[in-house]
Amino acid sequence: MKPSLLTQQIAIVLAASLLATACSKEQPAAPSAPLVEQRAADPAPTPTDEFRGSFAPGGVAATYRATFSDRQIQTLEETRKATSQTGTYEFRGARLMKYRGAALGSNDDIELEFDLQGKVLVARAGDKEVSAEEITAIRDRAQSLRSHAVAQHAVQGHDRN
């Protein structure tokens, strides 16, 4: 079976173009700009911003500073107005993960840590255990403060647009 005339012509044109490319001594010019900009290839930094507010959950007035990253609350630091006691809450999404600061029912400094399911991993006030009532009070306060901060932050963000 003989190749058709068209097939032979295509083969000749292809061979000629390959030969011309191979014999060319002229190097192609380097592009003046990179084909892919480095900043486009790098992951974008996650924007972080703060919101400051005040609220009185359970009748205990406080000022707070909430830190947001990628529109999710990360931390909330509160200062209770009447006593100047402080506390720091760490969140993952809506879940309280850690609390460090003043107890609500005593003058103790406490530390609480939870797993992703809400199980208490650490609950200590110095060398003693934190009561179940105190843990519940801290969780309730954390959720109240968090809800307030998220709502106020969303309104502030909406006002900026």
Side-chain angles (χ1 to χ4, degrees), residues 3 8 16 22 32 38 40 45 54 69 94 110-111 115 133 140 145 155:
Q8 290 175 352
S32 60
Q38 186 63 35
S54 58
S69 180
I110 63 174
E111 181 179 354
D115 69 9
E133 293 81 17
D140 290 347
L145 286 166
V155 168

Side-chain angles (χ1 to χ4, degrees), residues 55-62 80-82 141 144:
F55 189 49
V60 179
R80 297 176 199 137
K81 289 183 180 179
R141 186 167 184 83
S144 294

Side-chain angles (χ1 to χ4, degrees), residues 34-52:
L35 297 177
V36 176
E37 290 187 31
Q38 186 63 35
R39 67 176 174 256
D42 292 339
T46 304
T48 300
D49 63 299
E50 286 184 4
F51 175 79
R52 293 179 185 269

Side-chain angles (χ1 to χ4, degrees), residues 5 20-21 31 35 43 53-54 90 95-96 100 113 127 130 136 144 157-158:
L5 183 59
T21 302
L35 297 177
S54 58
E90 293 179 27
R95 174 89 49 202
L96 175 63
R100 285 188 183 89
E113 191 171 333
D127 59 350
V130 177
T136 300
S144 294
H158 180 72

Side-chain angles (χ1 to χ4, degrees), residues 5-131:
L5 183 59
L6 180 60
T7 304
Q8 290 175 352
Q9 289 174 340
I10 291 173
I12 291 170
V13 169
L14 183 60
S17 66
L18 288 173
L19 185 59
T21 302
C23 292
S24 172
K25 293 184 182 189
E26 185 179 322
Q27 296 295 321
S32 60
L35 297 177
V36 176
E37 290 187 31
Q38 186 63 35
R39 67 176 174 256
D42 292 339
T46 304
T48 300
D49 63 299
E50 286 184 4
F51 175 79
R52 293 179 185 269
S54 58
F55 189 49
V60 179
T63 58
Y64 64 83
R65 180 176 65 97
T67 304
F68 291 81
S69 180
D70 198 26
R71 297 183 181 180
Q72 295 287 316
I73 192 167
Q74 303 298 307
T75 61
L76 190 144
E77 298 169 6
E78 79 164 317
T79 301
R80 297 176 199 137
K81 289 183 180 179
T83 61
S84 297
Q85 293 176 315
T86 62
T88 301
Y89 305 84
E90 293 179 27
F91 298 93
R92 185 172 300 160
R95 174 89 49 202
L96 175 63
M97 300 302 293
K98 291 182 182 179
Y99 173 79
R100 285 188 183 89
L104 295 172
S106 70
N107 290 325
D108 293 334
D109 280 334
I110 63 174
E111 181 179 354
L112 302 175
E113 191 171 333
F114 307 94
D115 69 9
L116 287 171
Q117 288 72 41
K119 179 182 173 191
V120 177
L121 301 174
V122 174
R124 65 176 162 248
D127 59 350
K128 57 186 174 184
E129 289 291 314
V130 177
S131 71

